[in-house]
Amino acid sequence: HSIREVSQEWDHESAEGEVRMTFRKETLAEGVELYLGDCLEVLPTLAGIDAVVSDPPYGIGFQKGAGGKGIHPGRVRNLDPIKGDDRPFDPAPFLAWPCVLFGANHYYARLPDGGTFHTWDKSRGVGPDDSFSDAEYVWTPDRRKSEVFRYLWKGVLQDGEKGAPKYHVSQKPIAVMEWAIGFAGDAAHIFDPFMGSGSTGVAAVRLGRRFTGVEIDEGHFSTACRRIEAALKQPDMFVAAPQPIAQQTSMFSDKVA
């Protein structure tokens, strides 16, 4: 029996009535909702968010090269450009909540004064001497002790998830996203407006948090649904997992002015 039982669609028109956006919602369990669409279109419809935890497009036009393919034939490699990465990222719409943002060194000029940078050490001093960054930086808006999280994630050298598919060019390990969610304290409802392949959602449900995610790329959205659904079926025995939806609700269409 599939946990995913609720699917809804809306047509959304701009205030001028000129541009119509469509987004779809998939409810995987009570308190676990995923949206396919533009996060800035979905955001005004949401309520009850406690914290934003996200790895947004940095606005650097990053596209990973194809080098290294074929080392692990069973792994999935997605080398497509990141949607939205061709323009500067504006964090302003998400700063109304406590937030944990990856890659903030690329857009720090648009962040408010203060806050704290934290470091994910990806090489642990043993990674290969390659052209990829040995660290990634996470920003939180409060002033606190700056932390370093050491978790090897350099090509085939990984502290975990070895041999698991990599669906997104900037996919983060689940352990790293669990560390990031820790900066949100006891926030019960985590929101990721740039969900990608769903690592934040997997981490959130493993920690017993409610989760709302938005992804604009349909392929990544489908992957996120599948990964988070699988995580719901195999919850951590020490945390209370979100409960599956009891009844199926049919799809419907409704215009939002």
Side-chain angles (χ1 to χ4, degrees), residues 37-48:
D38 187 325
C39 62
L40 296 181
E41 296 285 338
V42 176
L43 189 59
T45 72
L46 301 179

Side-chain angles (χ1 to χ4, degrees), residues 19 40-41 52 105-106 116-117 136 197-198 204 207 218 237 250 257:
V19 179
L40 296 181
E41 296 285 338
V52 175
N105 51 306
H106 295 290
T116 306
F117 276 91
E136 293 193 27
S197 59
L207 293 171
E218 187 169 8
M237 68 179 66
S250 63

Side-chain angles (χ1 to χ4, degrees), residues 103-131:
N105 51 306
H106 295 290
Y107 48 87
Y108 67 90
R110 291 181 290 279
L111 292 170
D113 292 338
T116 306
F117 276 91
H118 309 277
T119 305
W120 167 28
D121 177 2
K122 301 169 64 174
S123 71
R124 290 202 293 103
V126 299
D129 183 16
D130 55 25
S131 60

Side-chain angles (χ1 to χ4, degrees), residues 46 50 102 129 148 169 204 208:
L46 301 179
D50 294 322
F102 280 78
D129 183 16
V148 177
V169 68

Side-chain angles (χ1 to χ4, degrees), residues 5 18 43 53 58 64 66 81 106 120 134 217 228 236:
E5 295 184 349
E18 297 176 352
L43 189 59
V53 180
Y58 306 154
K64 189 176 180 65
H106 295 290
W120 167 28
D134 287 341
D217 182 283
I228 296 170
D236 190 311

Side-chain angles (χ1 to χ4, degrees), residues 55-91:
D55 181 24
Y58 306 154
I60 58 175
F62 176 77
Q63 182 173 5
K64 189 176 180 65
K69 289 197 298 183
I71 296 177
H72 293 287
R75 301 189 69 179
V76 176
R77 297 292 298 273
N78 191 309
L79 306 177
D80 293 337
I82 299 170
K83 288 191 176 182
D85 200 36
D86 56 347
R87 57 186 180 273
F89 171 65
D90 180 9

Side-chain angles (χ1 to χ4, degrees), residues 46-229:
L46 301 179
I49 301 300
D50 294 322
V52 175
V53 180
S54 191
D55 181 24
Y58 306 154
I60 58 175
F62 176 77
Q63 182 173 5
K64 189 176 180 65
K69 289 197 298 183
I71 296 177
H72 293 287
R75 301 189 69 179
V76 176
R77 297 292 298 273
N78 191 309
L79 306 177
D80 293 337
I82 299 170
K83 288 191 176 182
D85 200 36
D86 56 347
R87 57 186 180 273
F89 171 65
D90 180 9
F94 313 106
L95 296 177
W97 295 272
C99 54
V100 183
L101 298 175
F102 280 78
N105 51 306
H106 295 290
Y107 48 87
Y108 67 90
R110 291 181 290 279
L111 292 170
D113 292 338
T116 306
F117 276 91
H118 309 277
T119 305
W120 167 28
D121 177 2
K122 301 169 64 174
S123 71
R124 290 202 293 103
V126 299
D129 183 16
D130 55 25
S131 60
F132 299 107
S133 175
D134 287 341
E136 293 193 27
Y137 300 97
V138 176
W139 181 83
T140 56
D142 53 349
R143 292 186 181 275
R144 63 166 76 194
K145 182 185 75 171
S146 183
E147 296 188 16
V148 177
F149 184 71
R150 294 180 172 86
Y151 189 95
L152 184 63
W153 191 258
K154 296 278 285 184
V156 298
L157 300 179
Q158 299 176 195
D159 276 339
E161 302 181 41
K162 296 179 181 179
K166 188 170 184 181
Y167 300 101
H168 194 284
V169 68
S170 61
Q171 184 172 318
K172 300 293 184 288
I174 295 166
V176 169
M177 299 316 299
E178 289 179 341
W179 167 69
I181 290 172
F183 289 117
D186 59 358
H189 192 168
I190 304 299
F191 174 49
D192 187 349
F194 303 96
M195 178 173 60
S197 59
S199 294
T200 308
V202 172
V205 301
R206 283 176 48 159
L207 293 171
R209 315 290 181 102
R210 298 195 300 276
F211 177 74
T212 297
V214 183
E215 173 55 39
I216 198 169
D217 182 283
E218 187 169 8
H220 291 320
F221 175 80
S222 296
T223 298
C225 287
R226 187 169 64 252
R227 294 180 71 208
I228 296 170
E229 187 175 34

